[in-house]
Amino acid sequence: MSPALPEATSFRVAPERLLGTRLRQLGLAPDMNVTTHSNTTVMLSVTARGQLRLHRGYGHAPDRVLRAILRFIDARQPRERRRAAEREFLSFPVHMYAPSRKGPVRLERLRPGDEAVLQRLREMHRGLNVQWFDGTLADIPFRLSSRMRISLGELCLDARSKEVISIAISRRHLRRHGWAEVEHTVLHEMVHQWQAETARPVDHGREFRIKAREVGIAPAARRAVVKAGAAGAARR
Ligand SMILES: [Zn+2]
């Protein structure tokens, strides 16, 4: 038997679709847009354009937690009160209600040959950073993942600070698609890194598409990856 879930609210429609309405009933400014995501590391963010982005698991949270979210995003609240509010909404276990597709980030043991691959990825990142971003992006660790089966790459961000932690590359991608495709993936993740480091929302929106074209990669999150005569869609 699985352990009982903590206090939560249940709904008949997809609960994340009610989040905006519930938050507004609790006092959210009516002009603030609410969107949800299932990113594993960023629980909540407010974009420069005044959009509130929340993990969709908060759709299951009781009003108490939603009120904490409202206190946290209210800049007029005293710092200590916002801190306490942050602790409160971060303690709600969103992943139990809306599990991510890939599960939490877990570090994998290095395998023989990994160090050479990681070295090549770091050098690739350095070169592309100079070529397309004027060298402004931070050096970032790479990790290889055998758990990523659909995604080719992923930028990991810290939940609180929104700082970039690492870029993960799928081992399967490395094995199957060759370095030209991997370079495309690295650039894609670097555009996300640029979004994160310039305090933009990390997504595949308009700014992403513009920047992607600028650095010469396909602007879509999905695109065909050719593999030994067959083509399949893959997510980055
Ligand atoms: Zn992406």
Side-chain angles (χ1 to χ4, degrees):
M1 214 176 101
S2 55
L5 292 176
E7 181 199 3
T9 307
S10 60
F11 300 95
R12 305 185 76 136
V13 300
E16 63 265 34
R17 298 187 58 187
L18 293 175
L19 254 177
T21 309
R22 289 183 62 209
L23 283 164
R24 272 185 279 275
Q25 277 167 1
L26 295 171
L28 180 73
D31 58 347
M32 192 174 245
N33 228 317
V34 179
T35 57
T36 60
H37 61 77
S38 51
N39 188 306
T40 53
T41 47
V42 183
M43 293 299 110
L44 180 156
S45 59
V46 179
T47 71
R49 295 204 188 106
Q51 188 180 59
L52 174 61
R53 300 186 73 239
L54 288 168
H55 192 285
R56 66 193 169 94
Y58 284 114
H60 296 265
D63 287 354
R64 171 180 59 78
V65 173
L66 299 190
R67 281 201 190 90
I69 287 171
L70 293 175
R71 283 198 301 278
F72 176 72
I73 63 173
D74 183 354
R76 295 164 306 183
Q77 295 283 337
R79 193 186 148 104
E80 269 318 299
R81 202 164 144 77
R82 294 182 67 199
R83 279 265 166 87
E86 184 185 29
R87 279 194 299 276
E88 181 157 6
F89 76 77
L90 284 178
S91 68
F92 183 77
V94 288
H95 298 109
M96 293 177 77
Y97 298 96
S100 77
R101 286 176 294 267
K102 296 178 289 290
V105 174
R106 218 171 286 157
L107 285 182
E108 288 178 24
R109 206 183 280 266
L110 281 186
R111 300 177 189 174
D114 278 1
E115 203 29 72
V117 172
L118 290 168
Q119 179 65 28
R120 185 161 175 176
L121 287 168
R122 285 192 292 268
E123 280 164 14
M124 183 184 280
H125 185 278
R126 247 170 255 141
L128 295 170
N129 190 11
V130 170
Q131 188 178 352
W132 296 111
F133 301 89
D134 293 327
T136 55
L137 300 185
D139 261 341
I140 187 172
F142 278 85
R143 58 188 183 81
L144 307 177
S145 168
S146 49
R147 292 159 58 85
M148 290 164 61
R149 306 217 127 244
I150 301 164
S151 293
L152 306 176
E154 184 179 64
L155 178 76
C156 301
L157 297 169
D158 182 86
R160 280 160 181 267
S161 65
K162 313 291 183 289
E163 274 171 28
V164 297
I165 297 172
S166 62
I167 292 175
I169 300 292
S170 154
R171 287 182 185 277
R172 187 183 160 103
H173 180 38
L174 280 159
R175 221 168 35 234
R176 291 185 168 193
H177 304 136
W179 282 100
E181 285 294 342
V182 169
E183 181 173 304
H184 196 127
T185 301
V186 169
L187 255 177
H188 179 110
E189 301 314 325
M190 288 172 77
V191 174
H192 286 318
Q193 183 184 355
W194 166 81
Q195 290 178 312
E197 290 180 354
T198 54
R200 291 174 161 84
V202 177
D203 59 17
H204 296 116
R206 193 171 159 268
E207 285 184 315
F208 178 89
R209 293 194 298 274
I210 291 168
K211 191 72 175 176
R213 284 199 198 94
E214 212 178 286
V215 305
I217 56 168
R222 285 170 176 275
R223 80 193 184 89
V225 176
V226 180
K227 168 218 144 198
R235 191 171 61 219
R236 287 188 171 101

